Amino acid sequence: CAAIILAAGRGTRMGPGQDKLFINLNGLPIVGHTWRRFDQSGLFQHLVLVVREGMQPAFQELADQLKIETPFSFTQGGQERQDSVWNGLEAIPEGIDLVAIQDGARPLTSVATIDECLREAASTGAAVTACRVNDTIKTCDAEGYVQKTLDRTSLRAVQTPQCFQLSIIRAAIREAQRRGLKLTDDTAACELIQQPIKLVLTDLPNPKATSPSDIPLLAQLSQQLKGATD
């Protein structure tokens, strides 16, 4: 198994001058929590960090601070998320069968969730972590008027990791490239080739740092998880 940690985004919704991945979260950058979790999971033979141009020294310094033991490498991010994923896939060494793709800004993913997602991908070809939708979801028109209410019993919010047999995700993204599509979700590429995707439901906290309001919640949850494992 290998993992691709996507860490090339700037996080513009955090505001000007903020690199969300390096915002301090209980003593470590957000991406440091993510990287450490995948390193210490014992599930991976290699980790690929997809980073922005010029950021490799900062990530190497972070690796030294974290004392990362899993072999890792860096590759450069692309213009779109899909391009970054492809660059990560191209950087995976020989001998890898399964790959987990993880948002660097999702620091609380549990090892149990990663493990289950990998196991499902090994069996079915593709799997994605997801949670049930508790809010009522409505569709609207271009002017913002409600069109209809969706049945939330069949709705799921997908997260990461998204795990795949390596040959399958490569074929899926090649198909998206062939069609000229730019997808923000890796499993959406699998839908193009009619690849079945298993949803791995979890109730464990797995939020992503997207806006400033997310940081206090992440800090609180991180502290609670740390206390539970001390």
Side-chain angles (χ1 to χ4, degrees), residues 1 11 18-20 23 26 46 63 98 107 127 138 165 180 184 192-194 210 216 222:
C1 301
Q18 287 273 21
D19 188 332
K20 72 176 181 180
I23 291 175
N26 295 337
H46 193 86
L98 291 173
K138 298 178 183 289
Q165 294 175 19
T184 59
L192 299 177
I193 60 171
Q194 286 79 53
T210 302
S222 176

Side-chain angles (χ1 to χ4, degrees), residues 8 50-53 75-80 83-84 87:
V50 184
V51 305
R52 296 197 309 274
E53 184 177 4
T75 193
Q76 190 168 317
Q79 186 173 357
E80 305 287 344
D83 303 320
S84 291
N87 290 349

Side-chain angles (χ1 to χ4, degrees), residues 188-211:
C190 287
E191 294 172 33
L192 299 177
I193 60 171
Q194 286 79 53
Q195 167 62 42
I197 304 155
K198 177 67 174 180
L199 290 172
V200 177
L201 292 181
T202 177
D203 293 323
L204 297 173
N206 191 24
K208 182 180 178 182
T210 302
S211 63

Side-chain angles (χ1 to χ4, degrees), residues 67-87:
K67 296 181 173 58
I68 297 296
E69 296 184 355
T70 308
F72 67 89
S73 59
F74 299 118
T75 193
Q76 190 168 317
Q79 186 173 357
E80 305 287 344
R81 184 186 191 279
Q82 180 178 293
D83 303 320
S84 291
V85 170
W86 182 255
N87 290 349

Side-chain angles (χ1 to χ4, degrees), residues 47-193:
L47 304 174
V48 177
L49 278 290
V50 184
V51 305
R52 296 197 309 274
E53 184 177 4
M55 289 297 291
Q56 286 193 15
F59 278 90
Q60 183 61 60
E61 183 178 342
L62 180 58
D64 295 340
Q65 177 188 350
L66 295 171
K67 296 181 173 58
I68 297 296
E69 296 184 355
T70 308
F72 67 89
S73 59
F74 299 118
T75 193
Q76 190 168 317
Q79 186 173 357
E80 305 287 344
R81 184 186 191 279
Q82 180 178 293
D83 303 320
S84 291
V85 170
W86 182 255
N87 290 349
L89 292 171
E90 290 287 274
I92 290 176
E94 294 293 327
I96 296 297
D97 302 308
L98 291 173
V99 60
I101 301 172
Q102 173 76 2
D103 297 322
R106 205 178 288 274
L108 305 182
T109 308
S110 73
V111 173
T113 296
I114 300 167
D115 183 57
E116 185 178 358
C117 201
L118 284 169
R119 290 178 185 276
E120 290 291 353
S123 175
T124 64
V128 57
T129 308
C131 63
R132 293 175 177 83
V133 174
N134 295 319
D135 294 325
T136 297
I137 305 295
K138 298 178 183 289
T139 61
C140 65
D141 60 21
E143 285 73 40
Y145 289 95
V146 169
Q147 291 181 315
K148 65 178 180 179
T149 301
L150 301 181
D151 178 8
R152 68 184 181 190
T153 60
S154 62
L155 297 177
R156 301 292 182 266
V158 298
Q159 305 169 339
T160 62
Q162 302 194 10
C163 299
F164 309 91
Q165 294 175 19
L166 188 55
S167 59
I168 287 174
I169 188 58
R170 280 179 169 159
I173 293 185
R174 283 195 194 102
E175 179 61 20
Q177 292 169 338
R178 187 187 71 81
R179 298 191 193 188
L181 301 175
K182 295 295 183 183
L183 304 174
T184 59
D185 174 79
D186 309 310
T187 55
C190 287
E191 294 172 33
L192 299 177
I193 60 171

